[in-house]
Amino acid sequence: MPPTAPTLNLFGWHIDPDSRRDMGRLAAAFIALHLLLWTLLPALSHRAPPWDNIEQLVWTQSLQWGYYKHPPAPTWWMYFWTELLGRKVWVTFFAAQLSVAGMLWCLWRIALIVTTPLRAFVALVLTALVAYHGLRGIMANHNTLQLLPVGLLLWASLSAVRASGHQRWLLWAGVGAAAALTLLSKYSALVWFAAIALWLAQDARMHRLRAWAPVLLAAAVALALLAPHLAWLVQSDFASLRYAQDSVENGNAGNASHWTDFWNFCSAQIGRVLPALLTLALLRWQLRHAPRVAHSTPAGVQQEGRFVLLLGLGPLAITLLLGLGGMHLAASWATTFYALFGLLLLRWLPAVAPAVLLRRTVLLGLGAQLLLAGGLALGRGLLVDVLGRNARSNFPAPALAAQLGTLWRAQAHTPLRVLAGETWLAGNVSIHLPSQPQVFINAEPAHAPWIDTNALARCDLLVLIDRSPGTPPASAATQALMARAQAHGQISVPWTSRPHGPQLTVDWGIVAATQPGCE
């Protein structure tokens, strides 16, 4: 059967803009390309990943129901991929971007409910260009790794409200599971729960009492899945909640005034949606002379305008109100708030011939992706080295680990099983050593529950302290361990390829075993 609209010939692939099947394949290809680009280029350009990625690699040394800073789901996610692919730098980029890719697919499925396949694809392309999904989407932290759970939660919630009969109960159970996974990713899920509750309260489909019965099932499923983490919270004296409380009361940036953090939060959001806004502006400019056509919604596609509006803007609005009320805000807390951003932008999309709109969207989307990913790779790879800058992306972890490995073989008497130090330094060294020793974070047992403190005396232990200019002092426990070292010294490695460039200077110490039985 011939297509009802002109098709787009894309590298020999004929795509009908009105076909859900054709556009679904194009959406899947675009998401796959996004995943490939934002995994491959950072992997080729970075010697070390962002700080949060190293923290996740350290935490994956043990599966827990919670960690001293955050709930456990992102670490479980990273554990699965590192067990499958290895504790390597590129795997952290892949795991982070896979969460982004999953969220983008959920957006696509939601968009097919609320608009046409072509406009759904435009929304997908624009959403992918938000900095949290690309430039900052390589950060494997609890914000980025919450993107997929949030996408699932939004898709499940909309589907459950629209469903009827027995399917409604099954979908609401899925909402409960997605809600639990979102909360197990980061406690900021509470903001999403508030926004969803607001949408449900105003939706006419939920104005009957029996419509809320499946919601009770969702709550029961979520509570059952959260129970082990709640038990861990009690056992740990609410460690991760105390960390969250300290973050909102005192901030992460060290600013005394919450108004400074509020301004930084707002200005950062403008910068992080700018790539999507500029691409939309350029798309409108390129289509300024294209003939306009009537835009109509096909039969079977129901508009869900309030869902898009309340859940596209609600979490950000709630967070801004909390900031105005005195809470210290961090810009990264808004990472998941733009899952529906492309759908919000569709109101400014001109109605032109479908094939023309599709062609321009594909070309601009691909061009913007290549520009952003290539710029990141160039800026954090070649340029920082040529300019002689010491950045995290060119941290000389492989060279440092090689020197420490040689030193250990010469001076230690047991295999290297435990490495004590700050997360960034010790974690980077650990993944580049053949034995990949466990990291004893800040020499604090509460921070590293995978360390058997009773067995520490059986093996020689390596202690590291970064002495580079501007580095914060080591923890008191790490310094106490260093004071016990029978052998110690200092090594320096070049940070860049420039002959007189910055150096990474590290104090090392070996605490000798006092008991036999190192394995």
Side-chain angles (χ1 to χ4, degrees):
M1 182 178 180
T4 58
T7 61
L8 171 66
N9 187 339
L10 185 66
F11 307 114
W13 179 11
H14 292 275
I15 303 171
D16 178 5
D18 293 332
S19 167
R20 287 173 66 100
R21 185 186 65 176
D22 285 2
M23 295 305 297
R25 290 174 177 174
L26 181 61
F30 182 85
I31 293 171
L33 180 63
H34 178 98
L35 174 63
L36 177 65
L37 239 126
W38 289 103
T39 300
L40 182 62
L41 291 185
L44 293 174
S45 60
H46 286 57
R47 278 205 301 254
W51 193 96
D52 292 326
N53 300 39
I54 288 295
E55 181 175 62
Q56 286 300 323
L57 288 178
V58 171
W59 287 5
T60 57
Q61 293 179 119
S62 175
L63 288 179
Q64 304 285 326
W65 274 106
Y67 297 84
Y68 75 100
K69 290 168 62 176
H70 291 297
T75 306
W76 298 346
W77 174 261
M78 187 65 71
Y79 178 87
F80 174 81
W81 293 111
T82 54
E83 284 294 299
L84 185 66
L85 302 172
R87 293 176 71 231
K88 301 171 184 175
V89 169
W90 74 268
V91 176
T92 68
F93 299 136
F94 173 74
Q97 275 298 319
L98 200 58
S99 178
V100 175
M103 179 276 294
L104 290 174
W105 182 252
C106 292
L107 164 70
W108 166 252
R109 299 299 301 180
I110 292 169
L112 287 177
I113 296 174
V114 303
T115 188
T116 64
L118 173 57
R119 292 170 71 85
F121 178 75
V122 177
L124 168 67
V125 170
L126 294 175
T127 303
L129 293 174
V130 174
Y132 290 120
H133 308 150
L135 290 168
R136 296 181 63 85
I138 65 171
M139 297 181 180
N141 54 33
H142 283 64
N143 301 304
T144 304
L145 298 181
Q146 194 186 40
L147 281 167
L148 175 55
V150 164
L152 292 171
L153 177 61
L154 293 175
W155 184 18
S157 298
L158 180 59
S159 300
V161 169
R162 291 167 57 86
S164 59
H166 296 299
Q167 186 185 27
R168 181 179 54 150
W169 289 86
L170 183 61
L171 286 170
W172 273 110
V175 171
L181 186 59
T182 305
L183 190 63
L184 286 171
S185 296
K186 198 172 183 184
Y187 299 133
S188 58
L190 295 175
V191 173
W192 277 107
F193 297 167
I196 290 173
L198 180 63
W199 168 64
L200 291 176
Q202 64 78 45
D203 194 286
R205 291 164 291 193
M206 300 298 293
H207 287 174
R208 293 168 298 158
L209 188 60
R210 66 177 182 177
W212 288 89
V215 181
L216 298 178
L217 173 63
V221 169
L223 188 60
L225 294 175
L226 289 170
H229 177 64
L230 297 176
W232 174 88
L233 277 173
V234 174
Q235 183 183 11
S236 68
D237 192 26
F238 303 96
S240 52
L241 284 180
R242 284 188 281 107
Y243 176 83
Q245 180 182 14
D246 180 70
S247 296
V248 299
E249 289 181 353
N250 302 309
N252 292 336
N255 296 316
S257 172
H258 79 277
W259 291 112
T260 303
D261 286 332
F262 184 83
W263 167 253
N264 292 341
F265 178 89
C266 294
S267 57
Q269 302 318 307
I270 295 171
R272 289 169 189 176
V273 299
L274 197 57
L277 296 178
L278 289 176
T279 301
L280 175 62
L282 187 55
L283 179 62
R284 286 177 57 87
W285 183 80
Q286 290 191 350
L287 296 173
R288 67 193 185 282
H289 298 310
R292 296 309 192 251
V293 298
H295 170 64
S296 60
T297 301
V301 176
Q302 297 183 23
Q303 295 298 319
E304 295 281 358
R306 290 188 180 179
F307 173 86
V308 173
L309 186 63
L310 289 176
L311 295 177
L313 296 176
L316 181 61
I318 292 170
T319 302
L320 289 173
L321 288 174
L322 292 172
L324 290 172
M327 179 185 291
H328 286 263
L329 301 181
S332 61
W333 294 352
T335 296
T336 62
F337 295 171
Y338 299 95
L340 302 179
F341 192 64
L343 287 174
L344 290 170
L345 296 181
L346 289 182
R347 66 181 58 230
W348 291 282
L349 186 68
V352 298
V356 174
L357 176 59
L358 180 57
R359 181 182 298 108
R360 293 297 184 185
T361 300
V362 169
L363 292 177
L364 280 177
L366 291 178
Q369 288 276 10
L370 290 169
L371 180 65
L372 291 169
L376 176 78
L378 181 65
R380 294 187 183 173
L382 178 64
L383 285 182
V384 291
D385 191 71
V386 169
L387 297 174
R389 290 185 52 203
N390 53 336
R392 291 201 188 276
S393 59
N394 65 339
F395 186 77
L400 176 61
Q403 286 201 32
L404 289 170
T406 301
L407 183 150
W408 184 266
R409 289 189 294 272
Q411 301 210 31
H413 301 91
T414 72
L416 178 52
R417 296 289 182 248
V418 177
L419 174 59
E422 184 268 333
T423 297
W424 170 256
L425 175 62
N428 266 292
V429 170
S430 174
I431 64 173
H432 290 288
L433 288 170
S435 64
Q436 297 207 340
Q438 292 186 320
V439 175
F440 192 9
I441 302 174
N442 297 326
E444 293 283 356
H447 294 176
W450 47 85
I451 298 294
D452 182 358
T453 53
N454 294 323
L456 282 178
R458 298 175 193 163
C459 298
D460 291 355
L461 183 147
L462 180 60
V463 187
L464 299 178
I465 296 178
D466 191 344
R467 298 299 190 191
S468 303
T471 303
S475 69
T478 303
Q479 295 186 48
L481 262 186
M482 182 66 81
R484 290 172 45 198
Q486 285 80 9
H488 52 81
Q490 187 175 87
I491 57 177
S492 293
V493 295
W495 206 302
T496 69
S497 60
R498 297 184 66 171
H500 303 292
Q503 298 279 314
L504 171 63
T505 303
V506 173
D507 284 353
W508 61 267
I510 298 176
V511 180
T514 57
Q515 297 178 13
C518 185
E519 297 178 354

